[in-house]
């Protein structure tokens, strides 16, 4: 059987990881400034993570949500402490797309309404409703088309006001990435977020914070949205929450009532997935990785600002976009081929930096030296 050929891939087979580095099958070492697309939060093969998963799978790998699974409450307690939202409720699933799907469905259940407002350039996932709220017609099949998702420009509060004035009684939720990742590291301005939250409260809609890529400590705050001085009604999480183990989650404000059967999942919250996410939460707390993300992000931004030829720097913490005037494909190619460094991209002009939150000053210096060389050609 052949693999279904839907990915554009580098001709590199990664077989090992440790901390900030990965190795291919030929023994070549690479600096990971991409984090497997913002997934690797505490570093590759962290001993606490490996040990916790190994111990759990040797005891009980899976049972269903038909019984109590103690790891779920342990994880909820630790995420509540890390985020400062211990009064919220936790629902566990398997991916970011599933988290966003459930968040929109929950908002619709809670309000009795059918429409969701999403931002232009948004990316919320590839499942049916999530991809409908993703501003990319190329990845929407005809079955995904719906009039229930309304798009408006990010940071344009007047357009948002007009939309609420016209259709506010039908709007169940507004969903915002505090920093759009796939969209090019576009930051939702704090005042915009605050005013949208005010509109949601005025019209009885829910504010959904898509924290799948920008959350879990990446920006120097557990939830990036909270830096705006507001609390979302629903936060969605995945990627960095379990350092590569497939875990998604939504944190739900206390005013939203749970009803039996409202949401459900076979694999979500199973013992093995909870053990992975608990290990990540423990390491984040013990190694102060959220604070490290803020500190190292500031260092990275300050060093990048000194480099000539960059059009614009955007982002917060360890979610950084470096935009160039022209196509930067060759810069990425030289970084990988000549310097053995993985980075991400958004379109053809933006380099995305999404390193593990355990990055240190030595890796920042290593990257900056190589980046200057790659830009110079």
């Amino acid at each position: 059987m052949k693999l279904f050929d839907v990915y554009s891939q580098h001709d590199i087979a990664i077989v090992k990881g440790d901390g900030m580095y990965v190795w291919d099958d030929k023994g070549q070492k690479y600096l990971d400034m991409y984090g497997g697309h913002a997934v690797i939060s505490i570093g590759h093969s962290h001993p606490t993570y490996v040990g916790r998963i190994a111990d759990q799978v040797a005891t009980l790998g899976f049972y269903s949500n038909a019984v109590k699974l103690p790891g779920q409450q342990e994880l909820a307690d630790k995420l509540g402490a890390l985020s400062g939202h211990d009064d919220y409720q936790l629902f566990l699933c398997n991916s970011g797309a599933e988290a966003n799907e459930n968040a929109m469905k929950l908002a619709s259940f809670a309000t009795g309404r059918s429409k969701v407002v999403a931002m232009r350039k948004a990316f919320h996932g590839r499942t049916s409703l999530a991809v409908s709220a993703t501003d990319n017609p190329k990845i929407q099949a005809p079955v995904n088309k719906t009039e229930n998702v309304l798009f408006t420009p990010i940071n344009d509060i007047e357009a948002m006001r007009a939309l609420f004035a016209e259709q506010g009684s039908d709007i169940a939720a507004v969903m915002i990435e505090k920093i759009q990742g796939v969209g090019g590291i576009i930051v939702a301005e704090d005042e915009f977020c605050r005013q949208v939250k005010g509109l949601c409260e005025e019209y009885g809609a829910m504010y959904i914070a898509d924290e799948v890529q920008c959350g879990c400590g990446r920006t120097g705050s557990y939830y990036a949205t909270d830096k705006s001085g507001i609390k979302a009604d629903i936060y969605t999480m995945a990627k960095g929450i379990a350092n590569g183990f497939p875990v998604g989650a939504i944190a739900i404000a206390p005013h939203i009532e749970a009803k039996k059967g409202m949401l459900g999942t076979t694999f979500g919250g199973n013992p093995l997935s909870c053990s992975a996410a608990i290990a990540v939460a423990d390491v984040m707390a013990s190694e102060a990785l959220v604070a490290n993300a803020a500190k190292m992000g500031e260092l990275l931004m300050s060093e990048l600002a000194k480099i000539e030829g960059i059009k614009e720097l955007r982002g917060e913490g360890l979610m950084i976009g470096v935009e160039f005037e022209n196509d930067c494909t060759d810069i990425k190619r030289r970084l990988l081929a000549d310097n053995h460094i993985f980075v991400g991209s958004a379109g053809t002009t933006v380099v995305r930096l999404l390193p593990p939150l355990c990055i240190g000053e030595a890796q920042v210096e290593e990257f900056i030296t190589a980046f200057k060389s790659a830009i110079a050609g």
Side-chain angles (χ1 to χ4, degrees), residues 28-322:
Q28 178 60 58
K29 180 181 179 181
Y30 299 82
L31 174 63
D32 187 6
M33 295 295 291
Y34 179 54
H37 202 75
V39 167
I40 302 301
S41 50
I42 63 172
H44 296 276
S45 302
H46 193 289
T48 298
Y49 181 75
V50 173
R52 180 94 192 209
I53 292 174
D55 290 346
Q56 184 63 58
V57 77
T59 305
L60 178 67
F62 176 81
Y63 209 76
S64 80
N65 286 294
V67 300
K68 290 184 177 180
L69 300 169
Q72 293 186 1
Q73 188 59 58
E74 182 181 356
L75 176 57
D77 291 341
K78 290 185 174 182
L79 291 179
L82 269 176
S83 66
H85 291 3
D86 56 6
D87 59 334
Y88 275 51
Q89 308 160 88
L90 185 68
F91 176 79
L92 292 161
C93 51
N94 307 286
S95 69
E98 191 178 337
N100 285 333
E101 194 95 4
N102 278 288
M104 287 184 277
K105 184 165 67 171
L106 180 57
S108 184
F109 272 134
T111 62
R113 301 173 183 177
S114 60
K115 296 191 183 298
V116 172
V117 180
M119 303 301 102
R120 290 291 173 194
K121 296 189 176 181
F123 186 96
H124 296 296
R126 292 177 180 269
T127 54
S128 189
L129 183 55
V131 81
S132 297
T134 292
D135 189 22
N136 184 352
K138 293 181 180 179
I139 64 171
Q140 292 174 347
V143 72
N144 302 130
K145 305 295 183 183
T146 175
E147 295 181 355
N148 286 331
V149 177
L150 312 170
F151 289 98
T152 190
I154 194 168
N155 294 324
D156 187 340
I157 193 60
E158 294 309 318
M160 185 70 75
R161 287 186 192 282
L163 195 57
F164 266 98
E166 180 183 343
Q167 302 190 57
S169 61
D170 294 325
I171 294 173
V174 178
M175 185 157 60
I176 299 177
E177 300 159 274
K178 183 61 171 71
I179 304 178
Q180 293 182 332
V182 175
I185 313 296
I186 306 300
V187 180
E189 297 168 357
D190 291 343
E191 183 59 25
F192 174 73
C193 294
R194 287 191 288 267
Q195 293 201 37
V196 171
K197 175 64 172 172
L199 285 168
C200 287
E201 292 175 348
E202 179 182 349
Y203 284 87
M206 301 287 173
Y207 188 112
I208 300 173
D210 180 345
E211 300 271 344
V212 170
Q213 189 171 144
C214 64
C216 300
R218 177 154 295 277
T219 66
S221 172
Y222 194 79
Y223 296 135
T225 299
D226 290 359
K227 298 171 85 171
S228 297
I230 61 173
K231 287 186 176 183
D233 296 291
I234 306 171
Y235 297 88
T236 67
M237 295 166 274
K239 294 194 184 293
I241 194 175
N243 206 53
F245 202 98
V247 176
I250 57 176
I252 305 157
H255 66 81
I256 300 175
E257 181 184 357
K259 296 179 181 178
K260 301 298 184 184
M262 177 184 277
L263 304 178
T265 170
T266 296
F267 296 109
N270 69 73
L272 193 53
S273 67
C274 284
S275 71
I278 288 167
V280 170
D282 285 344
V283 171
M284 280 194 171
S286 64
E287 298 185 7
L289 292 186
V290 178
N292 190 66
K295 180 180 177 182
M296 291 298 105
E298 186 176 331
L299 178 61
L300 257 173
M301 289 286 263
S302 66
E303 292 300 314
L304 287 165
K306 300 173 186 176
I307 300 176
E308 294 185 5
I310 293 174
K311 177 184 176 182
E312 186 178 5
L313 290 174
R314 298 189 294 269
E316 297 175 8
L318 293 175
M319 189 171 182
I320 297 172
V322 185

